Amino acid sequence: MNDSTSEKIKKAERVRDRVIHGKQVSDPDMRQAIIDVIEYAKALNKDLKAAAGFEPFGDLRGFKGRAQSLEKSTTIWLLKGLGFTGGGN
């Protein structure tokens, strides 16, 4: 992995850590972390495609597969635990 690729995820990891530990995170920081994660996924796809011939994040549309989706109430509690609030109650 290129150094520039690993640098893309570092700030997003700091934001994630603050959220997980219940600390305040501003909306702009949260939005930037989301952008950083998407850019990281694109860069990692490119790096691994060149090195190993595959893209771990595919086309970045997400993947559900055969697994059963979580119930709505479980998803809501998971999101609340990550610091997201509002809606979906």
Side-chain angles (χ1 to χ4, degrees):
M1 176 171 28
N2 292 325
D3 288 340
S4 61
T5 300
S6 61
E7 286 297 318
K8 289 183 182 294
I9 199 68
K10 287 184 179 180
K11 185 174 180 184
E13 287 175 335
R14 286 191 295 272
V15 170
R16 176 207 57 202
D17 291 346
R18 290 188 351 236
V19 169
I20 287 173
H21 293 290
K23 296 182 179 175
Q24 288 284 53
V25 179
S26 70
D27 285 344
D29 282 348
M30 195 79 84
R31 286 190 292 272
Q32 186 60 52
I34 292 167
I35 292 167
D36 291 344
V37 167
I38 292 169
E39 288 177 354
Y40 167 77
K42 288 179 181 179
L44 187 61
N45 266 352
K46 183 180 175 186
D47 291 350
L48 288 176
K49 180 74 171 185
F54 74 100
E55 296 175 311
F57 295 104
D59 60 9
L60 299 174
R61 287 187 299 166
F63 176 75
K64 180 182 176 291
R66 294 183 182 166
Q68 185 175 355
S69 297
L70 295 174
E71 293 179 18
K72 184 177 179 180
S73 62
T74 303
T75 302
I76 290 169
W77 281 108
L78 175 67
L79 291 172
K80 284 182 180 183
L82 291 173
F84 296 95
T85 59
N89 290 334

